[in-house]
C-alpha cells in the first residue's frame, strides 16, 4: 500500500461513490455533440453503475440545473466522508459557493469535464473548483467519468478525517 501524507486516509472501499452533475448535462448527447459527444448522461451512468456493482460499491448519480442543490449534495457527501466525482458544468467557472462547500465539508472531489476547458473560450479556462479538488480529469469525453471512477476504486482518493467538534 502506498504511503499517505500525515492526516490523510484512503477512502474505504465500502463507500458510496457520488457522481454529481451540474447545469445542462441533462442535455448531453443533444447539446453540441461535436464538443460533448453523443453519449447521454444515462449511458454514462449505466457504465459507472455496472463497474460499481461489480466491485460491490453503491453509486449515487445525480444531475441538477440548480447551484444550491449541488452545494447541498457536496456538503452531505463530504461530511459523510464519501468520494465525489463532480462535473459542475458552467458552475465550475463561477461558483464560489461550490468551492466553499467542498472546502468546508472537506469533500474528496475529483473534478471532471468532458471537454478540454483550456482549449475553449477564455472564460472557461479558470475553474474555481480545481483549487479545492483532489484531482482534475478533462478532455476525454465520457471516458473522463470512468477515469475518475478508476481513481476512486484504485484507492487514489484520500480523505481528511473531520476532527472538528
Amino acid at each position: 500500500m502506498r504511503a499517505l501524507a500525515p492526516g490523510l486516509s484512503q477512502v474505504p472501499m465500502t463507500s458510496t461513490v457520488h457522481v454529481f452533475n451540474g447545469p445542462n448535462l441533462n442535455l448531453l448527447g443533444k447539446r453540441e455533440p461535436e464538443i460533448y459527444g453523443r453519449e447521454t448522461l444515462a449511458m454514462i451512468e449505466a457504465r459507472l453503475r455496472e463497474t460499481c456493482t461489480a466491485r460491490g460499491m453503491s453509486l449515487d448519480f445525480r444531475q441538477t440545473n440548480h447551484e444550491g442543490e449541488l452545494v447541498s449534495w457536496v456538503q452531505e457527501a463530504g461530511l459523510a466522508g464519501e468520494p465525489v466525482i463532480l462535473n459542475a458544468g458552467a458552475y465550475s467557472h463561477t461558483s464560489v459557493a461550490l468551492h466553499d462547500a467542498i472546502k468546508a465539508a472537506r469533500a474528496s472531489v475529483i473534478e471532471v469535464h468532458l471537454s478540454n476547458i483550456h482549449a475553449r473560450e477564455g472564460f472557461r479556462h479558470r475553474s474555481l473548483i480545481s483549487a479545492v479538488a483532489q484531482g482534475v480529469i478533462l478532455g476525454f469525453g465520457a471516458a473522463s467519468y470512468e477515469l475518475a471512477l478508476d481513481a476512486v476504486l484504485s484507492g487514489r482518493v484520500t480523505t481528511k478525517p473531520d476532527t472538528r467538534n
Side-chain angles (χ1 to χ4, degrees):
M1 180 175 279
R2 66 186 178 91
L4 298 172
L8 297 179
S9 61
Q10 286 185 315
V11 172
M13 290 309 289
T14 58
S15 297
T16 296
V17 178
H18 300 272
V19 180
F20 300 147
N21 297 279
N24 299 313
L25 287 160
N26 56 309
L27 300 176
L28 202 55
K30 297 175 187 166
R31 176 185 176 222
E32 299 179 272
E34 66 281 1
I35 295 173
Y36 301 111
R38 298 201 182 283
E39 289 192 61
T40 65
L41 205 56
M43 294 164 87
I44 293 169
E45 178 182 1
R47 273 200 318 281
L48 297 183
R49 189 166 303 285
E50 183 178 326
T51 301
C52 284
T53 299
R55 297 287 295 269
M57 300 204 41
S58 298
L59 179 68
D60 174 26
F61 194 100
R62 306 183 209 179
Q63 187 278 328
T64 183
N65 290 321
H66 304 283
E67 182 180 23
E69 201 162 21
L70 271 178
V71 167
S72 294
W73 295 346
V74 166
Q75 288 174 350
E76 290 166 11
L79 292 172
E82 296 175 336
V84 174
I85 297 169
L86 176 63
N87 184 344
Y91 291 140
S92 300
H93 316 293
T94 62
S95 182
V96 173
L98 267 174
H99 169 102
D100 289 351
I102 293 166
K103 194 171 177 181
R106 302 170 68 100
S108 296
V109 169
I110 299 176
E111 180 181 12
V112 167
H113 294 279
L114 295 160
S115 67
N116 179 350
I117 62 174
H118 302 292
R120 299 191 56 204
E121 305 93 336
F123 67 87
R124 296 185 195 275
H125 294 182
R126 180 169 173 245
S127 167
L128 299 178
I129 306 304
S130 296
V132 291
Q134 189 165 36
V136 180
I137 299 173
L138 53 87
F140 294 99
S144 296
Y145 285 90
E146 294 168 69
L147 293 167
L149 182 59
D150 179 61
V152 171
L153 296 177
S154 64
R156 291 185 181 99
V157 176
T158 56
T159 60
K160 294 180 182 176
D162 192 349
T163 57
R164 298 169 289 183
N165 292 327

